[in-house]
């Protein structure tokens, strides 16, 4: 039995004040929705504020990136130890915006995943094809490559601590959602790649989220699909009522 996991990716939004307000609005709306896991991936500057604001709620803390080195001359980066100290439980790795604007590669994603695991953080590994790749019929090969690279050197025993987020780049922030059937079929490709690496049982037990313009209106349909075990939500995670509705859609026990 696996629980769905809904994670809000706030991206570069919310000051301390906004963080406190949004969490205060969310807390009563999602209270008691315990058949799914709820995570908020907030900016680094909001981690401590969010941690305090979430005390006593059923929401968990996540960050949006982590560096692969223990420490040192990496201006602007944040280490796994720093996140662990703030009781961060989850961390996004390899989000397409990091890949697109900050030269994140499959190799650096793998290094970050390993370091996150070393510090007992739970990585949410983000993968997805661009529109161009999709139109050229390369979706499967791109995703297989992203999966196999991200998991190099990762033991089977770590899989229960890892979530995969399939986010087609063309659906992020565009209002274009993959159809539930399409998202399901593509996540199946991802799961097959995981099967090749770790076998059927382990791959089936892994949680794979869909992300890309998921909202209060389409969450029910997406969450009803067999392969979709949750969502990674950008824009709609900034509005308490919308995010709470998505949580509601996910708050049911999976097979
Ligand atoms: P949107 O929900 O705004 O499309 O963003 C998706 C995303 O990138 C979550 O990580």
């Amino acid at each position: 039995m696996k629980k769905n996991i809904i994670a809000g990716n706030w991206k570069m939004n919310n000051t301390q004040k906004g963080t406190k307000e949004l969490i205060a609005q969310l807390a009563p709306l999602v209270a008691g929705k315990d058949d799914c896991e709820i995570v908020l991936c907030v900016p680094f500057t909001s981690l401590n504020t969010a941690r305090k604001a979430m005390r006593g709620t059923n929401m968990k803390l996540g960050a949006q990136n982590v560096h692969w080195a223990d420490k040192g001359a990496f201006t602007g980066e944040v280490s796994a130890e720093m996140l662990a100290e703030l009781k961060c439980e989850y961390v996004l790795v390899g989000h397409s915006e990091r890949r697109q604007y900050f030269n994140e590669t499959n190799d650096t994603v793998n290094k970050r995943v390993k370091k996150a695991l070393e510090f007992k953080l739970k990585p949410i590994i983000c993968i997805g094809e661009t529109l161009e790749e999709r139109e050229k019929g390369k979706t499967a090969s791109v995703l297989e490559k992203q999966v196999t690279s991200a998991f190099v050197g990762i033991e089977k025993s770590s899989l229960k601590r890892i979530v995969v987020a399939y986010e087609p780049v063309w659906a992020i922030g565009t209002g274009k959602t993959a159809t539930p059937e399409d998202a399901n079929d593509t996540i199946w490709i991802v799961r097959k790649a995981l099967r090749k690496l770790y076998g059927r049982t382990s791959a089936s037990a892994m949680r794979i989220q869909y992300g890309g313009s998921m909202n209060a209106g389409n969450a029910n349909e997406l969450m009803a699909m067999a392969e979709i075990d949750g969502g990674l939500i950008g824009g709609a995670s900034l509005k308490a009522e919308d995010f709470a509705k998505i949580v509601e859609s996910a708050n049911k026990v999976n097979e």
Side-chain angles (χ1 to χ4, degrees):
M1 208 82 96
K2 49 183 173 178
K3 271 191 182 185
N4 287 325
I5 173 165
I6 294 293
N9 175 9
W10 284 8
K11 308 191 180 183
M12 196 171 71
N13 292 288
N14 284 325
T15 57
Q16 310 291 299
K17 185 168 174 278
T19 298
K20 271 189 228 160
E21 285 169 2
L22 185 49
I23 292 174
Q25 287 167 7
L26 272 171
L29 299 178
V30 300
K33 310 267 184 269
D34 296 326
D35 286 331
C36 66
E37 230 180 320
I38 309 167
V39 182
L40 300 182
C41 299
V42 307
F44 292 134
T45 47
S46 284
L47 282 170
N48 204 28
T49 302
R51 176 176 67 92
K52 290 181 196 156
M54 280 177 188
R55 271 190 200 135
T57 76
N58 53 345
M59 292 178 275
K60 296 177 171 175
L61 188 61
Q64 297 176 11
N65 197 10
V66 59
H67 197 261
W68 60 81
D70 284 322
K71 60 176 160 180
F74 299 101
T75 304
E77 291 283 325
V78 166
S79 75
E81 187 182 14
M82 293 167 183
L83 297 179
E85 185 188 40
L86 285 173
K87 307 281 184 271
C88 222
E89 187 169 335
Y90 284 90
V91 61
L92 300 179
V93 180
H95 190 277
S96 65
E97 285 148 20
R98 301 294 318 169
R99 295 179 192 253
Q100 199 176 343
Y101 306 129
F102 303 99
N103 299 326
E104 196 76 70
T105 64
N106 285 334
D107 178 50
T108 56
V109 168
N110 175 247
K111 290 184 187 171
R112 291 180 202 264
V113 169
K114 284 182 178 150
K115 188 54 70 177
L117 289 169
E118 196 182 313
F119 281 84
K120 309 268 183 272
L121 298 163
K122 297 175 180 168
I124 299 178
I125 303 175
C126 306
I127 57 171
E129 82 288 0
T130 62
L131 184 59
E132 196 190 346
E133 288 161 345
R134 171 160 281 243
E135 284 173 347
K136 287 190 176 154
K138 291 185 179 165
T139 301
S141 60
V142 166
L143 293 174
E144 278 157 17
K145 175 82 187 143
Q146 288 175 336
V147 169
T148 38
S149 314
F151 283 88
V152 167
I154 306 291
E155 302 287 333
K156 211 183 221 186
S157 58
S158 298
L159 295 184
K160 53 182 179 306
R161 306 184 60 80
I162 302 177
V163 176
V164 174
Y166 165 61
E167 300 200 297
V169 178
W170 46 270
I172 294 178
T174 56
K176 283 188 209 156
T177 326
T179 63
E181 292 73 23
D182 195 13
N184 197 65
D185 291 350
T186 316
I187 289 182
W188 177 235
I189 294 172
V190 175
R191 205 174 298 278
K192 275 194 296 193
L194 289 164
R195 266 190 187 197
K196 258 193 226 162
L197 297 175
Y198 297 105
R200 196 187 181 118
T201 313
S202 302
S204 305
M206 283 200 73
R207 291 182 298 177
I208 308 181
Q209 299 171 309
Y210 169 78
S213 297
M214 194 160 166
N215 58 42
N218 59 27
N220 260 337
E221 276 185 307
L222 285 161
M223 289 309 308
M225 302 310 293
E227 293 299 326
I228 303 181
D229 307 313
L232 183 55
I233 328 294
S237 73
L238 300 172
K239 297 179 206 130
E241 288 191 357
D242 289 11
F243 189 67
K245 279 192 194 135
I246 298 170
V247 167
E248 183 67 53
S249 305
N251 191 42
K252 48 186 174 259
V253 178
N254 252 335
E255 290 301 302

